Amino acid sequence: MLKKVYLISVSLILVTGPCFAGYKDDIRYTELSNELSLRAIIMPTGSGVSVTQIEAQEDTNEYMPNIADTQFNGKIITDASVGGLTSGHATTVAKNLYGNTTSMAPSITNIDIYNASDWINSGWYSGTPPTENNSLQNHSWVIWYQNRNAPIRMDYAVNRDGFLPIAGLYNADYGDQNKPSDIPDTYGSMYNGITVGASDGTHRYGTTAYDGTGRVKPEIVAPNSYTSFATPYVTAAAAMLIESAGADAAAKDQLTLKAVLLAGADKSISTNWDQTTARPIDEVYGAGELDIYESYFIQQGGQQSAGSSIDERGWNLSSVSNSTSEVYTINVPAGFELRNLSALITWNRDVTRTARGPNVNYTSLLANLSLSLTGNVSQTSDSNVDNIEHIWRDDSSALSTGSYTLTVASTSSTATEYAVAWRSELYQDYSLWSATAFTASTPVDQQDASDDPDGDGIKNILEQAFGGDPETQNKDILPINEIVEADGNQYLQISYRKPNFSNGLTYIVETVTNLNDTWSNQASVVTLISIAPESGGFDRYTYRLVDPISATDKAFLRVSISQ
């Protein structure tokens, strides 16, 4: 029997004209791009990643993006269902997913497009799903069948083929928000993918009613008022991570990608974001808003094995079995706090397919894993129904100096593969710094920020800012002024050391041409040109005057430090 499918949204999106630029700031794409450029690191753009885009038709056979649009120049867009006509909905989804200037992943060049009706009736609702050869699927459409036929086949195909499906939920103007059953089974109820909502909360949120009841959806939100168009932002972010993983198969594993995206999500999207021991993520915003900056640096933190001491960011792909656990040690050094700890595990539902003649049956088994944090604190995430667990601690619940254990435990009878990802921020303000920077040889009345106990002309606050020892004279830590040549001109520049952790200080580079005038830090006169790593957990920031020295008789640069 053929199944009819519906778009998440159609008419509204064609009237207002979508905005493609602002979302990149919201999800910290722009910040990531700027920082990688300053660090001389190539920004991932989804190169080498192929995707499948499934679209419900707006009118008869209207499910294809407008391939004549310049946003799709150089793309190989295959009409896998054959005979498709242009759809405004599909065009906007495509622009957000792989548009040449509108997407975060413009280097995606190979795309297979399916009519959702053709798609669902080709083995994804009954029978056996065909093999998925692409790394990602984008589903900006939903439907209710009020059964498990579609999601269980999706989860089966994920286990078999290793791709990551990403699906939007209904928008808020569909259905009844007071009914948890408004979480659609296709594909809002899948276990082995990611469901997406809107950052403003205008989506169907709640718990699943089909194929496993009580699970919180969505898992993540993205900044668009329509879930159709928020979903490809997440898919594009996944494509970026696949490229940046390079040849590391574990880093681009479907489970790892999911864990990294969810662990990196931004909780500040709502002051009401919360979780409980039995509910790992927020009821409306899931793990939070997509944050490609955090997710990228989680991935770049590298795979770190269970049984080891872990860094502030990282991930692992491992397995646990019945009554066993794996532990990860978090060491917070003396003089520091650890803030904004986000640790998340996820694992797939196992699905078994059995065929007897023309009849194909699917059975499923979901392992029960938990995640806990112990030490000077005790926090556990242990849902009986979800296949994610999450520990979150914000600034108000920072970890103090000491050793902590992050434990992944299983009560299941068979080995279960899982991915874990985490991020956190070491923090050291002046009070924390001074508690370990001074020995008994420095009188207490010489330990204030404005004091200079070693007599080298560098106040304690500057010793903290530039990585000095307040009890040992050393002017080498001070900023360096120099004249450099670039493009046939000479420029005045200044560079300084800054720790790669937050220290509660503000660094501002200022310039003036007359010492009697007001110092300025405007980007039109002085600009940051590079960030380079140095030993001891420091980076060197280099600023340069925009105009060459030939443009003025004299110029001065300084670094202003404030608490």
Side-chain angles (χ1 to χ4, degrees):
M1 179 176 65
L2 293 178
K3 303 295 178 180
K4 190 176 181 181
V5 296
Y6 301 91
L7 294 171
I8 298 175
S9 61
V10 181
S11 58
L12 292 177
I13 64 177
L14 303 177
V15 175
T16 58
C19 174
F20 295 103
Y23 82 91
K24 293 182 179 179
D25 294 338
D26 295 336
I27 63 176
R28 301 178 73 191
Y29 169 90
T30 305
E31 182 180 352
L32 176 63
S33 177
N34 290 340
E35 180 162 338
L36 294 189
S37 176
L38 290 166
R39 294 184 181 276
I41 299 172
I42 297 174
M43 181 75 167
T45 57
S47 178
V49 180
S50 56
V51 301
T52 298
Q53 178 183 344
I54 299 90
E55 286 286 329
Q57 58 188 19
E58 292 184 81
D59 205 342
T60 303
N61 287 335
E62 291 181 354
Y63 59 86
M64 287 290 291
N66 180 8
I67 59 176
D69 194 301
T70 57
Q71 287 295 329
F72 310 129
N73 287 351
K75 312 292 183 185
I76 302 172
I77 301 176
T78 301
D79 179 359
S81 292
V82 184
L85 303 176
T86 296
S87 156
H89 183 277
T91 299
T92 303
V93 171
K95 287 181 177 180
N96 289 353
L97 179 50
Y98 47 84
N100 287 328
T101 62
T102 51
S103 169
M104 298 185 295
S107 294
I108 294 174
T109 55
N110 290 281
I111 307 100
D112 294 329
I113 312 287
Y114 286 85
N115 181 335
S117 293
D118 175 59
W119 165 273
I120 203 71
N121 289 294
S122 65
W124 293 94
Y125 182 80
S126 61
T128 303
T131 301
E132 174 59 88
N133 294 312
N134 294 333
S135 302
L136 301 168
Q137 287 183 0
N138 188 91
H139 296 268
S140 290
W141 62 285
V142 295
I143 190 173
W144 284 324
Y145 292 132
Q146 301 186 41
N147 61 46
R148 69 191 312 219
N149 288 4
I152 199 169
R153 283 169 171 77
M154 176 61 74
D155 289 345
Y156 167 79
V158 169
N159 291 333
R160 181 192 64 190
D161 302 332
F163 64 94
L164 177 62
I166 300 172
L169 297 180
Y170 271 116
N171 293 310
D173 54 351
Y174 286 81
D176 183 352
Q177 181 62 81
N178 295 318
K179 296 179 180 178
S181 61
D182 275 357
I183 299 298
D185 52 284
T186 311
Y187 280 109
S189 294
M190 65 180 172
Y191 286 80
N192 298 352
I194 297 175
T195 55
V196 182
S199 294
D200 59 8
T202 56
H203 56 265
R204 315 308 307 147
Y205 54 82
T207 55
T208 55
Y210 312 109
D211 194 18
T213 61
R215 291 176 291 127
V216 175
K217 296 287 183 168
E219 282 101 354
I220 199 168
V221 297
N224 197 293
S225 295
Y226 299 101
T227 54
S228 279
F229 307 146
T231 301
Y233 296 157
V234 181
T235 309
M240 293 175 64
L241 294 175
I242 291 173
E243 181 195 345
S244 60
D248 188 340
K252 53 189 173 185
D253 184 271
Q254 164 260 341
L255 276 174
T256 306
L257 292 173
K258 181 177 178 179
V260 166
L261 286 167
L262 298 188
D266 180 14
K267 308 297 187 290
S268 67
I269 187 62
S270 172
T271 56
N272 296 320
W273 193 97
D274 71 349
Q275 62 178 175
T276 66
T277 298
R279 175 172 53 79
I281 55 177
D282 187 76
E283 294 172 299
V284 178
Y285 301 99
E289 183 177 61
L290 174 66
D291 186 331
I292 187 58
Y293 181 98
E294 288 294 348
S295 292
Y296 173 85
F297 282 110
I298 288 173
Q299 184 194 67
Q300 295 304 301
Q303 184 170 11
Q304 298 168 43
S305 300
S308 64
S309 294
I310 59 176
D311 299 329
E312 291 101 283
R313 293 184 177 99
W315 57 272
N316 192 26
L317 185 64
S318 189
S319 65
V320 289
S321 57
N322 184 34
S323 301
T324 65
S325 61
E326 294 198 329
V327 298
Y328 302 81
T329 302
I330 300 173
N331 290 314
V332 184
F336 286 88
E337 291 180 347
L338 193 71
R339 296 184 169 188
N340 297 324
L341 171 64
S342 173
L344 184 142
I345 62 171
T346 186
W347 61 101
N348 283 342
R349 173 174 67 162
D350 287 332
V351 179
T352 301
R353 173 187 176 275
T354 57
R356 290 187 177 181
N359 299 318
V360 179
N361 295 314
Y362 293 84
T363 56
S364 64
L365 177 66
L366 181 67
N368 185 24
L369 273 61
S370 64
L371 181 65
S372 61
L373 177 70
T374 55
N376 294 332
V377 300
S378 179
Q379 184 175 348
T380 298
S381 177
D382 189 9
S383 167
N384 290 325
V385 294
D386 292 282
N387 64 322
I388 60 173
E389 302 293 355
H390 188 24
I391 297 287
W392 165 248
R393 300 184 68 86
D394 62 14
D395 288 357
S396 66
S397 56
L399 300 180
S400 58
T401 296
S403 182
Y404 301 83
T405 301
L406 198 62
T407 302
V408 179
S410 172
T411 60
S412 297
S413 58
T414 59
T416 302
E417 184 179 45
Y418 73 91
V420 57
W422 63 88
R423 63 178 172 93
S424 58
E425 302 168 7
L426 278 176
Y427 177 78
Q428 184 186 63
D429 61 14
Y430 186 81
S431 175
L432 290 166
W433 176 81
S434 61
T436 57
F438 297 105
T439 65
S441 63
T442 300
V444 174
D445 62 3
Q446 287 293 303
Q447 296 181 14
D448 289 340
S450 59
D451 292 328
D452 178 19
D454 60 7
D456 61 0
I458 304 173
K459 295 180 179 180
N460 289 334
I461 189 67
L462 299 181
E463 298 274 11
Q464 179 203 2
F466 301 128
D469 180 346
E471 298 180 335
T472 302
Q473 293 186 355
N474 182 9
K475 293 192 176 183
D476 290 342
I477 67 168
L478 291 175
I480 299 172
N481 278 291
E482 57 187 336
I483 294 175
V484 298
E485 187 167 332
D487 300 324
N489 291 304
Q490 290 185 316
Y491 295 87
L492 179 64
Q493 71 179 30
I494 191 171
S495 65
Y496 61 87
R497 282 162 46 89
K498 180 181 178 182
N500 55 22
F501 52 82
S502 178
N503 61 3
L505 300 177
T506 299
Y507 298 67
I508 299 176
V509 172
E510 300 173 316
T511 184
V512 73
T513 57
N514 188 316
L515 292 176
N516 293 320
D517 293 341
T518 302
W519 290 80
S520 171
N521 66 340
Q522 295 298 309
S524 59
V525 292
V526 61
T527 186
L528 177 63
I529 63 167
S530 69
I531 304 173
E534 292 198 347
S535 61
F538 282 79
D539 290 319
R540 180 162 293 275
Y541 287 69
T542 300
Y543 283 76
R544 182 179 295 171
L545 288 181
V546 172
D547 292 331
I549 60 176
S550 59
T552 182
D553 292 335
K554 54 186 176 181
F556 305 89
L557 283 170
R558 71 178 185 185
V559 181
S560 174
I561 304 295
S562 60
Q563 289 179 293

